[in-house]
Amino acid sequence: EKMFENIREDIVSKNYKILQKIDHYSMSTDSFLLPYFSNVPKSSKKKIIELCSGNGGISIILREKSKAQIEMLEIQEDLVELSRRSIELNKLTGINVKSGDIKKIKDYYKPSSFDYVICNPPYFPVKNMPNQREKFNHSISRHEILCNLSDVIKSIKYLLKQNGKFSLVHRTYRISDIISECGKNSLAIKRIRFVYSKESSDNSKIVLVEGSISNVSDIKVEQPLYIYKEDGIYTEEMKKVYGIDS
């Protein structure tokens, strides 16, 4: 059981907790913003898949707003196991996690089999990596070592039903890459929301996008989302994102 030393339980939503490894990349703001932003289907007849699911936090939070069947795909075996344990901890049903590589998506799932695909992918191109002294797991979760944006977008296209939707959270500076990769795969972004640290921030660091299979460009840019008030406490909206009752 060496794998499960250094584990802590964290509350992630009104009803649910997850297990996180202390030496791993743990859930960040993005993992809370994405399920909050995403208009996932609610019905138990629908199917959602989360790619690059890490420790399972996003899918577990989605259970707060959807009864859909949820699949998760994650390449790091220890995170898959941790997700399984978090699912058990919360006594959740209809959520399943698979260990696998997004580049082999066709081996695991039939084409056009999901109503919604959600993903918080690794953000940073490998060329931006700090020295490899850093923990390798942390790097896999943060950098495009085992899966890059193009792999993610191709997988989304393969998995989505014709009238399905997808959502991603990414770094704002990659927005042109996201739009061009979507275009190459007949996907179109329909909703976009820029996230700022606070109202006085010079620029947005995080972007949330939702889209579908479409060749029509009709992007709605929604209100900006601010994480902090000027005095450094969470905005009212951010409290909702974190499920904090204000």
Side-chain angles (χ1 to χ4, degrees), residues 49-91:
I49 184 165
E50 183 189 358
L51 302 176
C52 316
S53 59
N55 60 19
I58 289 174
S59 287
I60 287 171
I61 294 171
L62 285 178
R63 233 330 145 248
E64 294 281 5
K65 62 192 227 180
S66 173
K67 296 187 171 74
Q69 297 298 306
I70 300 177
E71 285 283 331
M72 296 188 243
L73 184 67
E74 168 55 48
I75 198 162
Q76 298 175 73
E77 192 57 64
D78 51 349
L79 293 182
V80 170
E81 194 46 50
L82 207 53
S83 301
R84 286 200 181 106
R85 289 188 51 183
S86 291
I87 292 165
E88 283 165 24
L89 175 73
N90 292 293
K91 302 184 169 56

Side-chain angles (χ1 to χ4, degrees), residues 78-166:
D78 51 349
L79 293 182
V80 170
E81 194 46 50
L82 207 53
S83 301
R84 286 200 181 106
R85 289 188 51 183
S86 291
I87 292 165
E88 283 165 24
L89 175 73
N90 292 293
K91 302 184 169 56
L92 289 169
T93 55
I95 297 192
N96 180 49
V97 58
K98 192 190 288 281
S99 167
D101 181 348
I102 193 168
K103 295 197 222 14
K104 301 193 179 112
I105 199 86
K106 295 180 167 128
D107 298 348
Y108 316 128
Y109 306 105
K110 294 192 177 78
S112 314
S113 50
F114 289 90
D115 300 285
Y116 203 100
V117 183
I118 188 167
C119 182
N120 175 6
Y123 291 146
F124 303 108
V126 174
K127 64 176 189 293
N128 296 2
M129 273 187 74
N131 295 338
Q132 274 296 272
R133 284 197 311 266
E134 222 194 342
K135 302 180 187 81
F136 188 63
N137 293 97
H138 184 94
S139 296
I140 290 175
S141 302
R142 300 279 287 173
H143 292 84
E144 299 181 326
I145 297 174
L146 300 176
C147 111
N148 63 32
L149 186 59
S150 160
D151 300 327
V152 169
I153 302 291
K154 284 190 187 99
S155 299
I156 289 172
K157 176 62 166 67
Y158 172 80
L159 293 166
L160 266 191
K161 291 182 181 174
Q162 195 51 45
N163 56 355
K165 290 183 186 161
F166 69 92

Side-chain angles (χ1 to χ4, degrees), residues 37 153 166-168 174-183 186-194 207-221:
F37 167 80
I153 302 291
F166 69 92
S167 63
L168 296 168
R174 300 288 302 276
I175 190 71
S176 62
D177 298 343
I178 296 167
I179 292 169
S180 78
E181 286 297 335
C182 284
S186 309
L187 297 174
I189 291 169
K190 300 296 181 179
R191 293 171 59 217
I192 190 160
R193 196 158 183 202
F194 293 103
V207 65
L208 295 156
V209 301
E210 186 175 70
S212 56
I213 298 176
S214 164
N215 292 312
V216 181
S217 343
D218 50 355
I219 299 182
K220 286 188 174 63
V221 177

